[in-house]
Amino acid sequence: MVNLFQEHAAAVILTALGLIVWIVCALVLQAGTISIISDSYLGKEPTVGSRCDSAGENFPLLLVAFSKD
């Protein structure tokens, strides 16, 4: 494994970074989906703009989901 990493270090690092970006994007989408469903359930009109404006509200949810995985 160490030999593989030494020979292909750039590919391994790019793959790891790509995986991290993919996980973060999936968690952001999941948090947005939960927020939209919650707004709909509570009788508020769910909009994409409102979710983008209140992205800070999703940060604790992202931390919990990221630590869980």
Side-chain angles (χ1 to χ4, degrees):
M1 187 69 153
V2 174
N3 190 23
L4 177 68
F5 182 74
Q6 288 175 348
E7 290 178 5
H8 305 288
V12 171
I13 291 172
L14 287 176
T15 301
L17 288 176
L19 183 61
I20 290 170
V21 168
W22 182 57
I23 289 171
V24 169
C25 288
L27 292 175
V28 168
L29 289 173
Q30 184 178 19
T33 302
I34 291 170
S35 296
I36 288 175
I37 291 171
S38 173
D39 285 350
S40 178
Y41 181 76
L42 294 173
K44 301 176 186 175
E45 184 173 340
T47 61
V48 175
S50 67
R51 286 298 98 205
C52 292
D53 291 340
S54 61
E57 294 175 5
N58 292 335
F59 189 69
L61 181 61
L62 292 174
L63 287 177
V64 169
F66 193 67
S67 65
K68 178 184 70 110
D69 291 336

